[in-house]
């Protein structure tokens, strides 16, 4: 993430370099004041050591910490702090060995400090007696100068993580919306194709009710084109659409096919995804009357009870007719739409016997 995204356009490359130089001058002054009071003219030995440690940790943090923070890795930053302490102690041990070799023994106070790092060897530094003093020195000499950088890195990393999560959510939403648009666009052509096939069957037999069928077809298309643009419509409109479609089928099959629809409490003001029930009706017609009209039937039952829609549609089966695979494009489409619009809010069940095929769908409207 570019720095100007967080700090503004004023934070140019020149400003960044100048602020870093100013920062290190301030840190150097801090070390000078601290060590000049403690070790006098030998301050530069300890000052160089702490500057080396702080600089390496400062820029290592800039490189490695954001990667951990973006991944939500908490162990990484804690590990960094642990190894930062080890790195400082190691540098202090080497520095003390070098300093002890040329600082006069008369400087007892300095040698007493150096002995903390050298008297018991490297591992002796980590003894319980030494750790409390070392941790305090580390917090003051190293952690304090690093605090602004660590704060900035954590803030930038967290901000970038938030942005990435937001973009990921937005992308997932856009992909889902695109899928829904594709699914919705498939419904209408599929419905028109099946309905035109029905009217073609009537026209091929020169049925006198073909003009009425075409008029019904135009009403159905008007509903598809103008009434289903919204994501949700009132359930009564969707049921009326199903009834109009079944009326069209009755004109085609006349008394040769029994088509029934029953409904209870369907005037409730609940809303449903448009055209989500019609594929079941089309499927029942396709695999019932269109497979064999001998004693063919289609029965639709709808009921709303306490905010729950129970939709059952059954059709006759002729075992001697040509077998068709139930659930083509229409059913695949509606199953996917149910998964998207009604996750964990619907129950879908299919049952088949030797002479019937039944689909049962339960939708929960109460949580809309």
């Amino acid at each position: 993430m570019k720095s100007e995204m967080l700090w503004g356009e004023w934070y140019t490359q020149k400003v960044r370099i100048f602020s870093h130089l100013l920062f290190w001058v301030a840190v150097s002054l801090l070390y000078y004041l601290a060590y000049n009071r403690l070790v006098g003219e030998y301050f530069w030995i300890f000052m160089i050591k702490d500057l080396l440690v702080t600089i390496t940790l400062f820029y290592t943090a800039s490189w490695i910490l954001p990667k951990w923070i973006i991944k939500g890795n908490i162990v990484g930053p804690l590990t960094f702090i642990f190894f930062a302490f080890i790195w400082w102690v190691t540098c202090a041990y080497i520095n003390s060995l070098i300093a002890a070799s040329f600082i006069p023994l008369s400087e007892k106070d300095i040698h007493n400090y150096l002995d903390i790092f050298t008297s018991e060897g490297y591992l002796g530094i980590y003894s319980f007696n030494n750790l409390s003093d070392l941790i305090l020195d580390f917090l003051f000499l190293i952690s304090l100068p690093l605090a602004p950088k660590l704060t900035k890195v954590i803030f930038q990393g967290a901000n970038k993580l938030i942005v990435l999560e937001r973009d990921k959510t937005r992308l997932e939403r856009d992909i889902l919306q695109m899928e829904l648009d594709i699914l919705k666009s498939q419904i209408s052509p599929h419905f028109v194709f099946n309905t035109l096939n029905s009217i073609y069957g009537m026209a091929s037999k020169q049925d006198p009710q073909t003009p009425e069928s075409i008029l019904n077809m135009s009403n159905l298309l008007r509903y598809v084109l103008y009434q289903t643009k919204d994501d949700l419509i009132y359930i009564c409109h969707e049921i009326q659409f199903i009834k109009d479609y079944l009326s069209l089928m009755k004109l085609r099959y006349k008394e040769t096919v029994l088509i029934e629809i029953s409904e209870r409490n369907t005037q409730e003001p609940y809303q449903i995804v448009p055209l989500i029930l019609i594929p079941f009706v089309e499927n029942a017609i396709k695999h019932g009357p269109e497979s064999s009209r001998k004693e063919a039937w289609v029965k639709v039952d709808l009921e709303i009870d306490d905010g729950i829609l129970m939709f059952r549609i059954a059709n006759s089966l002729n075992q001697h007719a040509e077998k068709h695979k139930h659930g083509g494009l229409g059913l695949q489409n509606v199953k996917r739409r149910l998964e998207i619009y009604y996750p964990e809010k619907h129950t879908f069940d299919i049952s088949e016997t030797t002479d019937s095929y039944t689909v049962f769908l339960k939708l929960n409207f109460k949580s809309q």
Side-chain angles (χ1 to χ4, degrees), residues 199-213:
I199 296 178
Y200 172 78
M202 298 176 65
S204 64
K205 297 178 181 180
Q206 298 181 344
D207 191 315
Q209 291 184 309
T210 300
E212 185 180 350
S213 299

Side-chain angles (χ1 to χ4, degrees), residues 12-23:
T12 62
Q13 186 69 13
K14 292 181 178 179
V15 173
R16 183 170 181 269
I17 293 174
F18 177 77
S19 62
H20 277 241
L21 291 174
L22 189 63
F23 173 76

Side-chain angles (χ1 to χ4, degrees), residues 35 45-54 84-100 110 113-119 121-122 125-126 133-135 137-138 141-142:
Y35 284 117
I45 304 174
F46 303 92
M47 181 176 168
I48 291 175
K49 176 259 297 182
D50 285 340
L51 275 175
L52 172 66
V53 173
T54 308
F85 178 73
I86 299 297
W87 172 234
W88 175 73
V89 170
T90 302
C91 289
Y93 174 72
I94 297 173
N95 180 263
S96 296
L97 289 177
I98 297 173
I110 299 178
Y113 177 75
L114 297 178
D115 285 344
I116 296 175
F117 297 94
T118 60
S119 61
Y122 178 73
I125 302 174
Y126 300 99
D133 292 333
L134 292 177
I135 290 174
D137 286 350
F138 176 77
L141 297 171
I142 306 300

Side-chain angles (χ1 to χ4, degrees), residues 25 58 63 68 72 80 93 97 99 122 127 155 174 176 219 222 243 262 274 281 285 293-294 309 323 332-333 362-363:
V25 169
F58 186 93
W63 173 65
W68 285 328
F80 174 82
Y93 174 72
L97 289 177
Y122 178 73
S127 66
F155 175 76
D174 291 344
L176 181 61
N219 291 332
R222 186 177 295 109
K243 293 164 71 174
S262 62
V281 181
I285 296 293
R293 298 189 190 181
K294 184 179 179 180
L309 169 69
K323 298 295 181 181
Q332 293 175 14
N333 186 306
K362 181 187 289 186
L363 290 181

